[in-house]
Amino acid sequence: AIIAEIKCASPSSGIIRRNVDMPMMAGVLEQGGCIALSVLTEPYFFGGICRDIARVKSAVSLPVLRKDFIIDERQVPESRALGADAMLLIAAVLKNRLPGFVDTVIDYGLEPLVEVRTGAEAELALSTETTLIGINNRDLTTFGVDRSTTRNLSARIRRDGRLVVSESGMQSADDVREMKQYCDAFLIGSSIMSHNHPRKKLEEFVCA
């Protein structure tokens, strides 16, 4: 199960893909077999804008995750108004405010995806009502990737009945084959969006 991310830029890679036609790319990735799309709305580091969600929703029937630095509860009704179906909540950013944000997201009829990187963050996520917990293999301070982060944290999370999404660091179908026993889904952006044929690259991950 792949959540494909329409990603134009990132702090670690710089510009990934220029002049992306959002509806067209969404259609290409839907045809590639992803189960959902992640759309970045953060402009300064990722080159996204809020209206990209509406552009994507106009082209596909897949659920859309709003990926941004969510720090204000007003962004929750905003996300719903934009047409998002789910929101990324980063435990390292929200800290002890995370449970309240999860409740608010659920109250608005959206699905929270809580992102963690450490055991302490995983425990915080497990104290909330979220059913989806993303494990980010990328260290946000050094930008280094270590897939053992998913391996180390997933068992505890799954024992609690939550679904694990492994985020960052999947470059090839071999990576997915190696990691799929530790998670329920993958969120993959850069390696798909930087490929000359994004649909073909996505299909490799889906069929791994």
Side-chain angles (χ1 to χ4, degrees), residues 36-51:
L37 291 168
S38 171
V39 177
L40 284 145
T41 58
E42 197 285 323
Y44 301 106
F45 299 104
F46 294 96
I49 54 176
C50 287
R51 66 176 179 268

PDB file of all heavy atoms in Angstrom, residues 36-51:
ATOM      1  N   ALA A  36      -3.569   6.396  -1.879  1.00  0.00           N
ATOM      2  CA  ALA A  36      -3.883   7.771  -1.468  1.00  0.00           C
ATOM      3  C   ALA A  36      -2.787   8.672  -1.999  1.00  0.00           C
ATOM      4  O   ALA A  36      -1.719   8.204  -2.429  1.00  0.00           O
ATOM      5  CB  ALA A  36      -3.987   7.884   0.053  1.00  0.00           C
ATOM      6  N   LEU A  37      -3.044   9.966  -1.959  1.00  0.00           N
ATOM      7  CA  LEU A  37      -2.056  10.961  -2.379  1.00  0.00           C
ATOM      8  C   LEU A  37      -1.750  11.901  -1.226  1.00  0.00           C
ATOM      9  O   LEU A  37      -2.652  12.290  -0.476  1.00  0.00           O
ATOM     10  CB  LEU A  37      -2.569  11.763  -3.571  1.00  0.00           C
ATOM     11  CG  LEU A  37      -2.696  10.997  -4.893  1.00  0.00           C
ATOM     12  CD1 LEU A  37      -3.482  11.814  -5.902  1.00  0.00           C
ATOM     13  CD2 LEU A  37      -1.318  10.644  -5.440  1.00  0.00           C
ATOM     14  N   SER A  38      -0.499  12.243  -1.088  1.00  0.00           N
ATOM     15  CA  SER A  38      -0.076  13.253  -0.126  1.00  0.00           C
ATOM     16  C   SER A  38       0.263  14.521  -0.898  1.00  0.00           C
ATOM     17  O   SER A  38       0.999  14.475  -1.889  1.00  0.00           O
ATOM     18  CB  SER A  38       1.162  12.757   0.645  1.00  0.00           C
ATOM     19  OG  SER A  38       1.708  13.795   1.443  1.00  0.00           O
ATOM     20  N   VAL A  39      -0.297  15.633  -0.450  1.00  0.00           N
ATOM     21  CA  VAL A  39      -0.083  16.911  -1.130  1.00  0.00           C
ATOM     22  C   VAL A  39       0.530  17.895  -0.140  1.00  0.00           C
ATOM     23  O   VAL A  39      -0.045  18.163   0.916  1.00  0.00           O
ATOM     24  CB  VAL A  39      -1.403  17.472  -1.692  1.00  0.00           C
ATOM     25  CG1 VAL A  39      -1.184  18.832  -2.327  1.00  0.00           C
ATOM     26  CG2 VAL A  39      -1.994  16.506  -2.717  1.00  0.00           C
ATOM     27  N   LEU A  40       1.683  18.417  -0.490  1.00  0.00           N
ATOM     28  CA  LEU A  40       2.368  19.388   0.364  1.00  0.00           C
ATOM     29  C   LEU A  40       1.804  20.775   0.133  1.00  0.00           C
ATOM     30  O   LEU A  40       1.691  21.229  -1.006  1.00  0.00           O
ATOM     31  CB  LEU A  40       3.868  19.381   0.067  1.00  0.00           C
ATOM     32  CG  LEU A  40       4.596  18.167   0.654  1.00  0.00           C
ATOM     33  CD1 LEU A  40       5.720  17.700  -0.234  1.00  0.00           C
ATOM     34  CD2 LEU A  40       5.113  18.508   2.041  1.00  0.00           C
ATOM     35  N   THR A  41       1.457  21.456   1.226  1.00  0.00           N
ATOM     36  CA  THR A  41       0.927  22.814   1.108  1.00  0.00           C
ATOM     37  C   THR A  41       1.863  23.842   1.734  1.00  0.00           C
ATOM     38  O   THR A  41       1.510  25.013   1.832  1.00  0.00           O
ATOM     39  CB  THR A  41      -0.469  22.908   1.766  1.00  0.00           C
ATOM     40  OG1 THR A  41      -0.378  22.524   3.143  1.00  0.00           O
ATOM     41  CG2 THR A  41      -1.462  22.016   1.050  1.00  0.00           C
ATOM     42  N   GLU A  42       3.051  23.418   2.127  1.00  0.00           N
ATOM     43  CA  GLU A  42       4.030  24.320   2.757  1.00  0.00           C
ATOM     44  C   GLU A  42       4.875  24.967   1.659  1.00  0.00           C
ATOM     45  O   GLU A  42       5.516  24.271   0.874  1.00  0.00           O
ATOM     46  CB  GLU A  42       4.910  23.519   3.731  1.00  0.00           C
ATOM     47  CG  GLU A  42       5.680  24.366   4.728  1.00  0.00           C
ATOM     48  CD  GLU A  42       6.853  25.081   4.115  1.00  0.00           C
ATOM     49  OE1 GLU A  42       7.528  24.496   3.233  1.00  0.00           O
ATOM     50  OE2 GLU A  42       7.110  26.235   4.494  1.00  0.00           O
ATOM     51  N   PRO A  43       4.893  26.312   1.570  1.00  0.00           N
ATOM     52  CA  PRO A  43       5.508  26.963   0.412  1.00  0.00           C
ATOM     53  C   PRO A  43       7.022  27.167   0.483  1.00  0.00           C
ATOM     54  O   PRO A  43       7.695  27.145  -0.556  1.00  0.00           O
ATOM     55  CB  PRO A  43       4.799  28.325   0.372  1.00  0.00           C
ATOM     56  CG  PRO A  43       4.425  28.588   1.802  1.00  0.00           C
ATOM     57  CD  PRO A  43       4.126  27.250   2.408  1.00  0.00           C
ATOM     58  N   TYR A  44       7.572  27.381   1.663  1.00  0.00           N
ATOM     59  CA  TYR A  44       8.952  27.852   1.750  1.00  0.00           C
ATOM     60  C   TYR A  44       9.984  26.741   1.580  1.00  0.00           C
ATOM     61  O   TYR A  44      11.015  26.930   0.935  1.00  0.00           O
ATOM     62  CB  TYR A  44       9.171  28.573   3.080  1.00  0.00           C
ATOM     63  CG  TYR A  44       8.244  29.740   3.249  1.00  0.00           C
ATOM     64  CD1 TYR A  44       7.164  29.680   4.122  1.00  0.00           C
ATOM     65  CD2 TYR A  44       8.408  30.908   2.493  1.00  0.00           C
ATOM     66  CE1 TYR A  44       6.282  30.741   4.263  1.00  0.00           C
ATOM     67  CE2 TYR A  44       7.532  31.973   2.623  1.00  0.00           C
ATOM     68  CZ  TYR A  44       6.471  31.885   3.516  1.00  0.00           C
ATOM     69  OH  TYR A  44       5.604  32.932   3.634  1.00  0.00           O
ATOM     70  N   PHE A  45       9.716  25.571   2.139  1.00  0.00           N
ATOM     71  CA  PHE A  45      10.657  24.462   2.063  1.00  0.00           C
ATOM     72  C   PHE A  45      10.263  23.425   1.015  1.00  0.00           C
ATOM     73  O   PHE A  45      11.112  22.726   0.467  1.00  0.00           O
ATOM     74  CB  PHE A  45      10.776  23.771   3.429  1.00  0.00           C
ATOM     75  CG  PHE A  45      11.287  24.666   4.514  1.00  0.00           C
ATOM     76  CD1 PHE A  45      10.415  25.186   5.458  1.00  0.00           C
ATOM     77  CD2 PHE A  45      12.620  25.013   4.586  1.00  0.00           C
ATOM     78  CE1 PHE A  45      10.873  26.017   6.469  1.00  0.00           C
ATOM     79  CE2 PHE A  45      13.095  25.837   5.581  1.00  0.00           C
ATOM     80  CZ  PHE A  45      12.230  26.354   6.529  1.00  0.00           C
ATOM     81  N   PHE A  46       8.949  23.312   0.735  1.00  0.00           N
ATOM     82  CA  PHE A  46       8.475  22.239  -0.133  1.00  0.00           C
ATOM     83  C   PHE A  46       7.802  22.737  -1.419  1.00  0.00           C
ATOM     84  O   PHE A  46       7.378  21.927  -2.242  1.00  0.00           O
ATOM     85  CB  PHE A  46       7.507  21.340   0.633  1.00  0.00           C
ATOM     86  CG  PHE A  46       8.168  20.591   1.760  1.00  0.00           C
ATOM     87  CD1 PHE A  46       8.127  21.081   3.055  1.00  0.00           C
ATOM     88  CD2 PHE A  46       8.847  19.405   1.516  1.00  0.00           C
ATOM     89  CE1 PHE A  46       8.743  20.400   4.100  1.00  0.00           C
ATOM     90  CE2 PHE A  46       9.466  18.713   2.550  1.00  0.00           C
ATOM     91  CZ  PHE A  46       9.418  19.207   3.841  1.00  0.00           C
ATOM     92  N   GLY A  47       7.680  24.039  -1.567  1.00  0.00           N
ATOM     93  CA  GLY A  47       7.147  24.592  -2.808  1.00  0.00           C
ATOM     94  C   GLY A  47       5.682  24.312  -3.055  1.00  0.00           C
ATOM     95  O   GLY A  47       5.228  24.292  -4.201  1.00  0.00           O
ATOM     96  N   GLY A  48       4.919  24.091  -1.968  1.00  0.00           N
ATOM     97  CA  GLY A  48       3.502  23.791  -2.125  1.00  0.00           C
ATOM     98  C   GLY A  48       2.623  25.002  -1.868  1.00  0.00           C
ATOM     99  O   GLY A  48       3.073  26.007  -1.311  1.00  0.00           O
ATOM    100  N   ILE A  49       1.368  24.904  -2.278  1.00  0.00           N
ATOM    101  CA  ILE A  49       0.378  25.935  -1.977  1.00  0.00           C
ATOM    102  C   ILE A  49      -0.937  25.239  -1.637  1.00  0.00           C
ATOM    103  O   ILE A  49      -1.199  24.119  -2.078  1.00  0.00           O
ATOM    104  CB  ILE A  49       0.174  26.923  -3.144  1.00  0.00           C
ATOM    105  CG1 ILE A  49      -0.155  26.178  -4.440  1.00  0.00           C
ATOM    106  CG2 ILE A  49       1.387  27.819  -3.333  1.00  0.00           C
ATOM    107  CD1 ILE A  49      -0.462  27.089  -5.614  1.00  0.00           C
ATOM    108  N   CYS A  50      -1.772  25.916  -0.873  1.00  0.00           N
ATOM    109  CA  CYS A  50      -3.004  25.295  -0.379  1.00  0.00           C
ATOM    110  C   CYS A  50      -3.936  24.857  -1.501  1.00  0.00           C
ATOM    111  O   CYS A  50      -4.571  23.800  -1.410  1.00  0.00           O
ATOM    112  CB  CYS A  50      -3.727  26.259   0.563  1.00  0.00           C
ATOM    113  SG  CYS A  50      -2.929  26.436   2.181  1.00  0.00           S
ATOM    114  N   ARG A  51      -4.032  25.643  -2.563  1.00  0.00           N
ATOM    115  CA  ARG A  51      -4.999  25.288  -3.602  1.00  0.00           C
ATOM    116  C   ARG A  51      -4.584  24.053  -4.409  1.00  0.00           C
ATOM    117  O   ARG A  51      -5.374  23.558  -5.214  1.00  0.00           O
ATOM    118  CB  ARG A  51      -5.270  26.471  -4.524  1.00  0.00           C
ATOM    119  CG  ARG A  51      -4.134  26.955  -5.378  1.00  0.00           C
ATOM    120  CD  ARG A  51      -4.634  28.071  -6.301  1.00  0.00           C
ATOM    121  NE  ARG A  51      -3.579  28.616  -7.141  1.00  0.00           N
ATOM    122  CZ  ARG A  51      -2.835  29.666  -6.813  1.00  0.00           C
ATOM    123  NH1 ARG A  51      -3.032  30.280  -5.651  1.00  0.00           N
ATOM    124  NH2 ARG A  51      -1.896  30.104  -7.634  1.00  0.00           N
TER     125      ARG A  51
END
